[in-house]
């Protein structure tokens, strides 16, 4: 299943960092090699059904935390903003070049 890994019966979520952010993520996360390609986090469950239920919230939390750290380090000054209709269906996405405070506002 996408973004899920099972190690010794315990499920983990894998957040895949976009290639153009590997070095930035490596810097803010303190990677020994200076590059970070993904982030693995335990979902603390052994059942596939619970892992699927927890996956999306865990990925969103990882994304927000990484983006905050990139902004705080001055490595992120733009954001992809996705626009959804009230029905929840995707409408459009665009890039916004914002000040660090502006990006922080969108991350909250």
């Amino acid at each position: 299943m996408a973004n899920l890994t099972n190690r010794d019966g315990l499920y983990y979520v894998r957040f895949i960092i976009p290639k153009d952010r590997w070095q930035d993520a490596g810097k803010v996360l303190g990677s020994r090699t200076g590059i970070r390609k993904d982030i693995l986090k335990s979902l603390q469950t052994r059942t596939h059904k619970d892992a699927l239920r927890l996956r999306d919230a865990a990925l969103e939390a990882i994304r927000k935390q990484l983006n905050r750290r990139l902004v705080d380090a001055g490595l992120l000054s733009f954001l992809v903003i996705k626009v959804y209709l009230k029905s929840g269906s995707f409408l459009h996405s665009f890039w916004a070049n914002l000040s660090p405070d502006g990006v922080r506002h969108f991350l909250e």
Side-chain angles (χ1 to χ4, degrees):
M1 185 49 79
N3 299 95
L4 286 179
T5 301
N6 187 320
R7 290 189 179 173
D8 299 324
L10 196 61
Y11 281 91
Y12 293 80
V13 66
R14 180 182 306 275
F15 178 82
I16 300 167
I17 299 169
K19 189 172 186 174
D20 62 333
R21 288 288 175 198
W22 287 358
Q23 288 184 347
D24 293 341
K27 287 177 188 174
V28 299
L29 297 174
S31 171
R32 287 186 313 235
T33 63
I35 293 176
R36 188 74 180 262
K37 297 179 181 181
D38 60 5
I39 299 171
L40 202 64
K41 182 178 189 276
S42 172
L43 294 174
Q44 299 180 349
T45 185
R46 295 188 178 278
T47 65
H48 188 256
K49 184 177 179 179
D50 286 340
L52 287 173
R53 182 178 53 81
L54 297 168
R55 177 189 59 196
D56 292 340
L59 286 170
E60 182 66 14
I62 293 169
R63 184 192 63 78
K64 281 185 175 184
Q65 181 182 25
L66 178 59
N67 283 342
R68 277 194 190 102
R69 292 180 79 172
L70 289 168
V71 168
D72 291 344
L75 299 171
L76 181 66
S77 62
F78 61 88
L79 190 64
V80 176
I81 298 174
K82 294 184 177 182
V83 179
Y84 291 88
L85 300 174
K86 283 186 177 179
S87 65
S89 60
F90 176 73
L91 178 64
H92 184 68
S93 67
F94 59 92
W95 290 95
N97 192 357
L98 304 169
S99 68
D101 288 334
V103 173
R104 279 189 199 91
H105 173 74
F106 278 102
L107 296 176
E108 296 174 355

